[in-house]
Coordinates of all heavy atoms in Angstrom, one line a residue:
G1041 N 0.8 -1.3 0.0 CA 0.0 0.0 0.1 C 0.8 1.2 0.0 O 0.4 2.4 -0.5
S1042 N 2.1 1.2 0.5 CA 2.9 2.3 0.6 C 3.5 2.7 -0.8 O 3.9 3.8 -1.1 CB 4.2 2.1 1.4 OG 5.0 1.1 0.9
E1043 N 3.2 1.9 -1.8 CA 3.6 2.2 -3.2 C 2.5 2.7 -4.1 O 2.7 2.9 -5.3 CB 4.2 0.9 -3.8 CG 5.4 0.3 -3.0 CD 5.8 -1.0 -3.6 OE1 5.2 -1.6 -4.6 OE2 6.8 -1.6 -3.0
M1044 N 1.4 2.8 -3.5 CA 0.1 3.2 -4.2 C -0.2 4.7 -4.0 O 0.2 5.3 -3.0 CB -1.1 2.3 -3.8 CG -0.9 0.8 -4.1 SD -2.2 -0.2 -3.3 CE -3.6 0.2 -4.3
C1045 N -1.1 5.3 -4.8 CA -1.6 6.6 -4.7 C -2.9 6.4 -3.9 O -3.6 5.4 -4.0 CB -1.8 7.2 -6.0 SG -0.2 7.6 -7.0
G1046 N -3.2 7.5 -3.4 CA -4.5 7.5 -2.6 C -5.7 7.2 -3.5 O -6.7 6.6 -3.1
S1047 N -5.7 7.8 -4.7 CA -6.8 7.5 -5.7 C -7.0 6.1 -6.0 O -8.0 5.5 -6.3 CB -6.5 8.2 -6.9 OG -5.3 8.0 -7.5
E1048 N -5.9 5.3 -5.9 CA -5.9 3.8 -6.2 C -6.3 3.1 -4.8 O -7.0 2.0 -4.8 CB -4.5 3.3 -6.5 CG -3.9 3.8 -7.8 CD -2.5 3.4 -7.9 OE1 -1.6 4.0 -7.3 OE2 -2.3 2.4 -8.7
H1049 N -5.8 3.6 -3.7 CA -5.9 2.9 -2.4 C -7.2 3.0 -1.7 O -7.7 2.1 -1.0 CB -4.7 3.1 -1.5 CG -4.5 2.3 -0.4 ND1 -5.2 2.5 0.8 CD2 -3.8 1.1 -0.2 CE1 -4.8 1.6 1.7 NE2 -4.0 0.7 1.1
N1050 N -7.8 4.2 -1.9 CA -9.2 4.3 -1.1 C -10.2 3.4 -1.5 O -10.5 3.0 -2.6 CB -9.6 5.7 -1.6 CG -8.9 6.9 -1.0 OD1 -8.0 6.7 0.1 ND2 -9.1 8.2 -1.3
D1051 N -10.8 2.9 -0.4 CA -11.9 1.9 -0.6 C -13.2 2.6 -0.6 O -13.7 3.1 0.4 CB -11.9 0.9 0.7 CG -10.7 0.1 0.8 OD1 -10.4 -0.5 -0.3 OD2 -10.2 -0.2 1.8
L1052 N -13.8 2.8 -1.8 CA -15.1 3.5 -2.0 C -16.2 2.7 -1.4 O -16.4 1.6 -1.7 CB -15.3 3.8 -3.5 CG -14.0 4.4 -4.2 CD1 -14.4 4.8 -5.7 CD2 -13.7 5.8 -3.5
F1053 N -17.1 3.5 -0.8 CA -18.3 3.0 -0.2 C -19.4 2.8 -1.2 O -19.6 3.7 -2.2 CB -18.8 3.9 0.9 CG -17.9 4.0 2.1 CD1 -17.1 5.0 2.5 CD2 -18.0 2.9 2.9 CE1 -16.4 5.1 3.6 CE2 -17.2 2.8 4.2 CZ -16.4 4.0 4.5
I1054 N -20.1 1.6 -1.1 CA -21.2 1.3 -2.0 C -22.3 0.6 -1.2 O -22.1 0.2 0.0 CB -20.7 0.5 -3.2 CG1 -20.2 -0.9 -2.5 CG2 -19.8 1.1 -4.1 CD1 -20.0 -1.9 -3.7
K1055 N -23.5 0.5 -1.7 CA -24.6 -0.3 -1.1 C -24.7 -1.6 -1.9 O -24.7 -1.6 -3.1 CB -25.8 0.4 -1.2 CG -26.0 1.4 0.1 CD -27.5 1.9 0.2 CE -27.7 2.7 1.4 NZ -29.1 3.1 1.5
N1056 N -24.7 -2.7 -1.2 CA -24.8 -4.1 -1.7 C -26.3 -4.3 -2.1 O -27.2 -3.4 -1.8 CB -24.2 -5.0 -1.0 CG -24.8 -5.3 0.3 OD1 -26.0 -4.8 0.5 ND2 -24.3 -5.9 1.3
A1057 N -26.5 -5.4 -2.7 CA -27.9 -5.8 -3.1 C -29.0 -5.7 -1.9 O -30.1 -5.6 -2.1 CB -27.9 -7.2 -3.8
K1058 N -28.5 -6.1 -0.7 CA -29.3 -6.0 0.5 C -29.4 -4.6 1.1 O -30.3 -4.5 2.1 CB -28.6 -6.9 1.5 CG -28.5 -8.5 1.1 CD -27.8 -9.2 2.3 CE -27.8 -10.7 1.9 NZ -27.1 -11.5 2.9
G1059 N -28.8 -3.7 0.5 CA -28.9 -2.4 1.0 C -27.9 -1.9 2.1 O -28.0 -0.9 2.7
D1060 N -27.0 -2.9 2.3 CA -25.9 -2.6 3.4 C -24.7 -1.9 2.8 O -24.5 -2.1 1.7 CB -25.5 -4.0 4.0 CG -26.6 -4.8 4.7 OD1 -27.5 -4.1 5.2 OD2 -26.6 -6.0 4.7
I1061 N -24.1 -1.1 3.6 CA -23.0 -0.4 3.2 C -21.7 -1.3 3.2 O -21.5 -2.0 4.3 CB -22.7 0.8 4.1 CG1 -23.8 1.8 4.0 CG2 -21.3 1.5 3.8 CD1 -23.8 3.1 4.9
Q1062 N -21.0 -1.2 2.2 CA -19.7 -2.0 2.2 C -18.8 -1.3 1.3 O -19.1 -0.1 0.9 CB -19.9 -3.4 1.5 CG -20.3 -3.6 0.1 CD -20.4 -5.0 -0.3 OE1 -21.3 -5.7 0.2 NE2 -19.7 -5.3 -1.3
T1063 N -17.6 -1.8 1.0 CA -16.6 -1.0 0.2 C -16.4 -1.8 -1.2 O -16.4 -3.1 -1.1 CB -15.3 -0.8 1.0 OG1 -14.8 -2.0 1.3 CG2 -15.5 0.2 2.1
R1064 N -16.0 -1.0 -2.2 CA -15.8 -1.7 -3.5 C -14.6 -2.6 -3.5 O -14.5 -3.6 -4.1 CB -15.7 -0.6 -4.5 CG -15.8 -1.1 -6.0 CD -15.6 0.0 -7.0 NE -16.6 1.1 -6.9 CZ -17.7 1.3 -7.3 NH1 -18.3 0.2 -8.0 NH2 -18.5 2.3 -7.1
T1065 N -13.5 -2.1 -2.8 CA -12.2 -2.8 -2.7 C -12.0 -2.9 -1.2 O -12.8 -2.5 -0.4 CB -11.1 -2.0 -3.3 OG1 -11.0 -0.6 -2.7 CG2 -11.2 -2.0 -4.8
N1066 N -11.0 -3.7 -0.8 CA -10.7 -4.0 0.6 C -9.2 -3.8 0.9 O -8.6 -4.7 1.6 CB -11.2 -5.4 1.0 CG -11.2 -5.6 2.5 OD1 -11.4 -4.6 3.2 ND2 -11.1 -6.9 2.9
F1067 N -8.6 -2.7 0.5 CA -7.3 -2.4 0.8 C -7.1 -2.1 2.3 O -5.9 -2.3 2.8 CB -6.7 -1.2 0.0 CG -6.7 -1.4 -1.5 CD1 -7.4 -0.7 -2.4 CD2 -5.7 -2.4 -2.0 CE1 -7.3 -1.0 -3.8 CE2 -5.8 -2.7 -3.3 CZ -6.5 -2.0 -4.2
S1068 N -8.1 -1.8 3.0 CA -8.1 -1.5 4.4 C -8.0 -2.8 5.2 O -7.9 -2.7 6.4 CB -9.3 -0.7 4.8 OG -9.4 0.5 4.2
G1069 N -8.4 -3.9 4.5 CA -8.2 -5.2 5.2 C -9.3 -5.4 6.2 O -9.2 -6.1 7.3

């Protein structure tokens, strides 16, 4: 992660099919 830019690393929030909040990626682990 130290080699990435913030625009690559940020985990964007989305709503899944159930309407729950989750993230598109999981760089945050």
Side-chain angles (χ1 to χ4, degrees):
S1042 66
E1043 302 171 2
M1044 301 170 68
C1045 295
S1047 55
E1048 299 174 279
H1049 193 271
N1050 284 349
D1051 293 319
L1052 305 181
F1053 289 107
I1054 58 173
K1055 276 192 175 183
N1056 62 22
K1058 297 179 180 178
D1060 297 326
I1061 295 175
Q1062 63 179 62
T1063 58
R1064 192 185 305 275
T1065 53
N1066 194 24
F1067 293 119
S1068 299

